[in-house]
Amino acid sequence: MGKNKVYIYKSFERFWHWTQALLIFFLAFTGFEIHGSISFFGYLNAVRYHNIAAYAFIVLIIFAIFWHLSTGEWKQYLPTLEHIRSQIDYYLFGIFRNAPHPTKKTVLSKLNPLQKLVYLGLKILVIPIMVISGLLYMFYRYPQKGGGIAGLNIGSIEPIALIHTFGAFLLITFVIAHLYLITTGTTITSNLRAMITGYEELEETEGDENKSSENSDEVKSPEKKQNIEVETVLVEKEII
Amino acid sequence: MKKIVLVLLLIGLIIFLSVKLLTTENYKPTALSLLEEKYPKKETSSVDHSQFAVLQKKFNTPQEVTEACISCHTERDKEIMRSSHWNWEREEYIAGRGIVDIGKRNAVNNFCIGVEGNEQSCAKCHIGFGMTSTTFSFTDSKNIDCLVCHDNTETYVKGNELAGLPDPSVDLNYVSQHVGKPKRSNCGVCHFFGGGGNNVKHGDLESALFEPSKDVDVHMAVEGADLQCIDCHLTEKHKILGKMYSLSSMNKDRSTCEECHTENPHKEDILNEHTYKVACQACHIPVYAKVNATKTAWDWSTAGKLKNGQPYEEDDADGNHTYLSIKGSFKWGKNLKPEYIWFNGTADHYLLGDVINDTTKPLKINTLNGSYSDKDSKIIPVKIHRAIQPFDPVYKVLIQPKLFADKKGEGAFWQDFDWRRSSAVGMKDVKLPFSGKFSFIKTEMYWPVNHMVSTKDKTVQCNECHSRNNSRLAALTDFYMPARDYSSFVETAGIGIILLTLFGVFVHGTVRVFSSRKRKASPNNQNLSGV
């Protein structure tokens, strides 16, 4: 099987990924100072920086949503139950025997079924919950003095704070698992390199030739976008 | 094309938002800068009282001075006679009690307990002449003491135990010719010495405020705005704003910080939002009793010990009494951090004759109402004065003992040192039954701390409250406060999943490392490497 250097992560995607990573780290750090777990910036500064970072994150999310919709990349996250079993089997057994990845990474399908599920969960559950609870945390005061959210009539910041805190724990858990799982690529650093440079060495598949290696920018042809779902290739489990 | 429009719209939105967020508002003078302009302008009197003939004739009694005052200032006496400074009581509505007349005249405290029966001595701080236990006319305007408040010479003093009459040494003509608006010294002679000595009662009102530095009080500082009491305690027709909740009960006629500083005095929104729930004083008075100690505890049960048949006193290193035969033992504190409570502006009081339901708990002499869920409540700083004072264990009421008398044998505790006798006489004076038995009960009194406002740099910092340990608000547990509070369930679950993940990563990673070493060691697998 031949290998090709493929431009898999577009420049905006990488910018989005790394800014998001940085912001999540910073928000967690300042957030846990606000939570009383650590002490570093000073309480007032921690609150200020956390709020600024939160706004930055929201702006980034708006850009990211726009990018996902306009490029059709959102379809990458459509969940599928297909191959989930083999993906789990791979992480539990195959990986130790150096079995190949059960799903093949391509430009049009760069996420394995587990990634699809987890990332979708982040995008439609954890992050929206963090944004909404964060905004309420920021703006909800008791008693409300007028304003649009006065009608909410939340007597206490407690449920908001607890949900926000639990979300933070979930995100930290995700980051730990994510940092570990990116070492399970072809080599330990190949996934990391790909997210930095945009290029990754992928196995060649039919129909891929024109997109490999050279400065291909975007998936331009509309027909190809529609083919995204069918591109997952199952490689048979090999037991050695 | 659509894309381009969308992108342009987005960019436009971002530019609009950032311009809106980043531009500062146009300069307008802040409330504070206007105040700083206003207060250095000192008023000069429009009249010279020393020119008036009516004040030239020789005054033999203080009542003659009052008559002279009223001869020009007609109607002012009627204003005075409506005031609580004169009546020593106010009409108050207390939820659960209805309308009651309450004031010094009939209220109980946990210092010298109460005025009734002891007027001869207590009247040193009444704005009248001749108030004794038995006789005083609250309708005779000649008995108004104008000078104690309006003397600008600082030479007018009331005599000890003279029922409110001035000391015989006072030159009434000289004082009456130099009168004006009340200064800190006029108010301070009584309000700084409540409870029988400097700073005994309030903790934030004491003789250091006659001439304070900025560190002691930023408003009254001589080198600063040098505000007088009535600059904040605004007064019209002898009706003075601001009152102490040791005696008052209703949320009205209060003197507030907001009357000058507005409700949103901070640059930072997050600080302004704190004012929904936190009174200004809570952050801006980090410590009180900054110069001289204040009494924090009073134990009447040890009173009455004599040495060689004589009462005696013991003092601490600063000269504060720690024991007095006539009053018992005391504790003092200096540079104290206030305690904090919720307060909505209304209070209830222990009134003489109220039956104490639970004598095992400290009795609240005054109850400041409030809670987190009450929309009108804010966190305020208080001094809590804790005492052990006499009560009747049979009728379960506090005892108002007879304390003061000018001679032995009348049953006054300060002369005869006999609790049973002074209780019997005292309770008879207030027309309440006494079982003949006495015991002692713990009581608490709540004194809101409002003065000794610190400079900005000494303000209470965020993490003095927002902190897991040693939060100033540790005692207020009826609400969630970031940093102080957490849910042990969320913490355990959150840290649990993190530890489980780390454990999983560790086990998975270890097995990966070992299995790959094994593979490398085994030549059979060479063909599979590098996939």
Side-chain angles (χ1 to χ4, degrees):
Chain A
M1 276 187 289
K3 284 196 143 199
N4 254 322
K5 227 178 173 201
V6 177
Y7 188 58
I8 186 161
Y9 299 120
K10 317 294 178 297
S11 52
F12 174 80
E13 200 172 12
R14 284 175 283 137
F15 165 78
W16 163 57
H17 173 272
W18 288 112
T19 314
Q20 176 167 269
L22 207 71
L23 284 172
I24 285 178
F25 270 109
F26 189 73
L27 284 164
F29 195 73
T30 50
F32 277 99
E33 178 154 11
I34 295 166
H35 188 52
S37 316
I38 50 171
S39 174
F40 183 77
F41 289 113
Y43 202 78
L44 181 58
N45 281 335
V47 173
R48 276 185 193 139
Y49 300 159
H50 193 81
N51 289 355
I52 294 168
Y55 283 125
F57 197 16
I58 289 170
V59 171
L60 185 70
I61 288 172
I62 293 169
F63 273 104
I65 289 172
F66 180 76
W67 178 81
H68 277 90
L69 293 180
S70 61
T71 58
E73 286 278 327
W74 61 277
K75 291 177 190 152
Q76 298 267 6
Y77 300 91
L78 286 176
T80 165
L81 288 175
E82 238 182 311
H83 315 316
I84 267 206
R85 185 61 198 273
S86 50
Q87 189 67 34
I88 293 172
D89 279 350
Y90 169 75
Y91 282 131
L92 288 181
F93 309 107
I95 189 169
F96 304 126
R97 303 184 189 105
N98 208 16
H101 282 268
T103 51
K104 208 164 89 180
K105 205 170 186 177
T106 68
V107 174
L108 295 178
S109 177
K110 51 196 174 200
L111 303 174
N112 73 45
L114 275 181
Q115 279 178 310
K116 279 179 202 262
L117 257 188
V118 172
Y119 293 174
L120 186 73
L122 279 181
K123 277 165 191 281
I124 67 167
L125 209 67
V126 180
I127 288 178
I129 284 174
M130 290 306 272
V131 169
I132 291 165
S133 61
L135 286 172
L136 284 173
Y137 209 143
M138 225 188 269
F139 289 110
Y140 196 81
R141 298 291 174 263
Y142 172 80
Q144 268 295 315
K145 297 201 169 171
I149 52 175
L152 281 177
N153 236 345
I154 306 168
S156 166
I157 197 109
E158 182 163 12
I160 299 169
L162 295 186
I163 290 168
H164 203 69
T165 309
F166 189 68
F169 281 122
L170 282 183
L171 279 172
I172 290 177
T173 308
F174 165 76
V175 168
I176 293 168
H178 183 65
L179 284 178
Y180 174 70
L181 287 173
I182 60 160
T183 66
T184 61
T186 317
T187 68
I188 283 183
T189 56
S190 63
N191 280 330
L192 179 65
R193 274 171 212 275
M195 193 46 89
I196 294 171
T197 62
Y199 290 96
E200 183 168 4
E201 284 195 353
L202 296 180
E203 282 171 42
E204 252 180 280
T205 50
E206 317 86 77
D208 254 4
E209 311 83 37
N210 53 342
K211 291 191 290 294
S212 58
S213 152
E214 60 294 323
N215 305 325
S216 55
D217 257 318
E218 264 187 66
V219 185
K220 277 166 191 147
S221 121
E223 308 90 69
K224 282 196 178 122
K225 278 190 209 159
Q226 282 150 15
N227 288 336
I228 279 171
E229 288 103 312
V230 298
E231 296 255 344
T232 322
V233 176
L234 173 64
V235 177
E236 267 189 4
K237 270 192 296 175
E238 289 182 57
I239 296 161
I240 301 156
Chain B
M1 193 56 205
K2 255 190 193 167
K3 260 193 213 175
I4 294 166
V5 173
L6 274 174
V7 170
L8 284 176
L9 274 176
L10 201 66
I11 290 170
L13 185 74
I14 288 160
I15 290 170
F16 173 76
L17 283 177
S18 47
V19 168
K20 192 126 195 261
L21 283 173
L22 295 175
T23 43
T24 48
E25 277 175 47
N26 291 333
Y27 173 78
K28 55 175 182 243
T30 60
L32 190 62
S33 68
L34 291 175
L35 290 171
E36 280 165 351
E37 272 172 42
K38 179 180 163 193
Y39 277 100
K41 290 174 193 151
K42 288 291 163 208
E43 276 183 324
T44 46
S45 179
S46 52
V47 293
D48 180 358
H49 280 85
S50 65
Q51 306 285 320
F52 294 149
V54 72
L55 300 177
Q56 306 286 338
K57 65 159 193 177
K58 177 77 184 133
F59 292 126
N60 292 311
T61 65
Q63 283 88 349
E64 289 171 27
V65 181
T66 305
E67 283 181 299
C69 299
I70 298 172
S71 69
C72 291
H73 298 281
T74 67
E75 311 308 310
R76 290 299 199 184
D77 53 326
K78 294 184 185 93
E79 293 170 17
I80 285 293
M81 289 195 290
R82 283 193 291 269
S83 74
S84 50
H85 273 123
W86 174 259
N87 290 312
W88 271 10
E89 66 180 18
R90 272 182 286 241
E91 216 170 58
E92 301 268 6
Y93 172 79
I94 303 176
R97 290 184 190 274
I99 293 166
V100 290
D101 288 324
I102 181 173
K104 273 193 191 311
R105 211 200 273 191
N106 59 3
V108 185
N109 64 52
N110 66 2
F111 294 84
C112 288
I113 300 176
V115 167
E116 278 185 282
N118 305 304
E119 285 87 346
Q120 183 84 13
S121 171
C122 299
K124 191 184 180 187
C125 278
H126 181 241
I127 58 157
F129 304 125
M131 186 199 252
T132 63
S133 311
T134 46
T135 54
F136 184 70
S137 165
F138 283 94
T139 52
D140 183 357
S141 60
K142 283 201 299 294
N143 281 333
I144 296 170
D145 185 350
C146 306
L147 297 182
V148 71
C149 299
H150 292 283
D151 161 39
N152 279 177
T153 67
E154 297 188 12
T155 63
Y156 184 88
V157 279
K158 280 172 172 270
N160 285 330
E161 295 150 21
L162 291 181
L165 290 163
D167 194 84
S169 66
V170 172
D171 180 343
L172 293 172
N173 284 89
Y174 174 69
V175 175
S176 67
Q177 290 166 19
H178 299 87
V179 288
K181 284 190 173 177
K183 294 180 175 172
R184 285 199 300 272
S185 53
N186 297 97
C187 308
V189 287
C190 285
H191 290 282
F192 295 170
F193 298 93
N198 182 39
N199 210 16
V200 167
K201 266 187 179 167
H202 291 269
D204 62 332
L205 285 178
E206 60 130 320
S207 58
L209 294 175
F210 284 132
E211 304 281 313
S213 67
K214 258 192 172 162
D215 282 339
V216 177
D217 188 289
V218 69
H219 298 111
M220 293 184 250
V222 178
E223 81 264 30
D226 198 12
L227 294 191
Q228 305 299 312
C229 305
I230 57 167
D231 284 327
C232 296
H233 293 275
L234 299 171
T235 304
E236 206 172 324
K237 296 189 191 287
H238 284 108
K239 200 171 181 214
I240 304 169
L241 286 188
K243 68 257 175 86
M244 228 328 135
Y245 281 93
S246 48
L247 293 171
S248 50
S249 313
M250 293 167 74
N251 189 11
K252 62 165 193 179
D253 300 333
R254 296 171 75 179
S255 172
T256 64
C257 311
E258 288 87 347
E259 68 195 25
C260 289
H261 291 284
T262 77
E263 279 195 346
N264 297 305
H266 307 98
K267 274 187 200 144
E268 201 93 32
D269 284 343
I270 196 132
L271 295 181
N272 285 330
E273 283 161 358
H274 277 73
T275 64
Y276 293 8
K277 277 298 186 192
V278 184
C280 312
Q281 296 93 317
C283 299
H284 290 280
I285 310 177
V287 292
Y288 66 99
K290 285 177 183 170
V291 183
N292 296 297
T294 186
K295 207 170 269 186
T296 56
W298 184 321
D299 183 359
W300 277 99
S301 69
T302 62
K305 286 188 263 183
L306 303 174
K307 273 184 184 162
N308 307 319
Q310 293 298 314
Y312 65 97
E313 64 175 64
E314 282 166 4
D315 294 347
D316 66 12
D318 293 331
N320 301 309
H321 301 312
T322 51
Y323 181 76
L324 287 175
S325 297
I326 59 167
K327 292 179 177 177
S329 337
F330 311 120
K331 280 184 193 146
W332 297 80
K334 205 170 130 176
N335 282 317
L336 294 169
K337 272 189 194 177
E339 298 180 55
Y340 298 89
I341 59 162
W342 288 106
F343 184 43
N344 64 12
T346 67
D348 192 8
H349 302 271
Y350 179 86
L351 301 180
L352 274 175
D354 282 356
V355 174
I356 306 159
N357 293 321
D358 185 356
T359 54
T360 56
K361 278 193 311 200
L363 169 73
K364 287 182 176 180
I365 301 277
N366 63 333
T367 307
L368 304 193
N369 301 318
S371 68
Y372 171 81
S373 53
D374 175 0
K375 285 194 168 74
D376 297 321
S377 290
K378 291 187 180 189
I379 295 169
I380 62 156
V382 288
K383 168 194 165 178
I384 301 179
H385 183 254
R386 296 176 166 89
I388 297 169
Q389 68 190 89
F391 87 112
D392 182 329
V394 178
Y395 292 131
K396 296 196 164 139
V397 294
L398 284 186
I399 289 173
Q400 165 70 70
K402 169 91 174 160
L403 295 172
F404 174 83
D406 43 15
K407 54 184 182 293
K408 281 186 193 294
E410 291 179 6
F413 188 79
W414 291 351
Q415 295 286 352
D416 303 336
F417 300 101
D418 178 350
W419 275 121
R420 192 160 287 116
R421 179 89 200 284
S422 61
S423 302
V425 176
M427 291 305 267
K428 200 173 163 227
D429 278 348
V430 297
K431 298 177 184 71
L432 284 173
F434 174 55
S435 71
K437 294 211 163 58
F438 71 92
S439 181
F440 291 89
I441 185 172
K442 285 183 179 170
T443 61
E444 286 176 350
M445 224 181 148
Y446 291 74
W447 293 80
V449 174
N450 294 314
H451 307 92
M452 295 198 171
V453 175
S454 279
T455 48
K456 203 173 169 182
D457 56 305
K458 297 210 172 63
T459 309
V460 172
Q461 297 300 300
C462 309
N463 61 0
E464 292 183 54
C465 295
H466 290 281
S467 150
R468 285 276 156 93
N469 308 309
N470 305 320
S471 167
R472 280 179 184 251
L473 300 184
L476 295 181
T477 51
D478 60 348
F479 69 105
Y480 182 95
M481 184 165 70
R484 183 192 69 173
D485 296 325
Y486 55 90
S487 140
S488 35
F489 173 75
V490 169
E491 288 320 90
T492 314
I495 292 168
I497 52 169
I498 288 176
L499 289 179
L500 270 177
T501 312
L502 282 172
F503 178 73
V505 163
F506 176 76
V507 171
H508 198 273
T510 312
V511 176
R512 250 173 88 204
V513 168
F514 278 103
S515 60
S516 88
R517 276 193 195 155
K518 230 163 126 189
R519 262 195 324 271
K520 273 178 193 152
S522 146
N524 298 339
N525 294 329
Q526 260 174 354
N527 57 333
L528 281 163
S529 63
V531 174

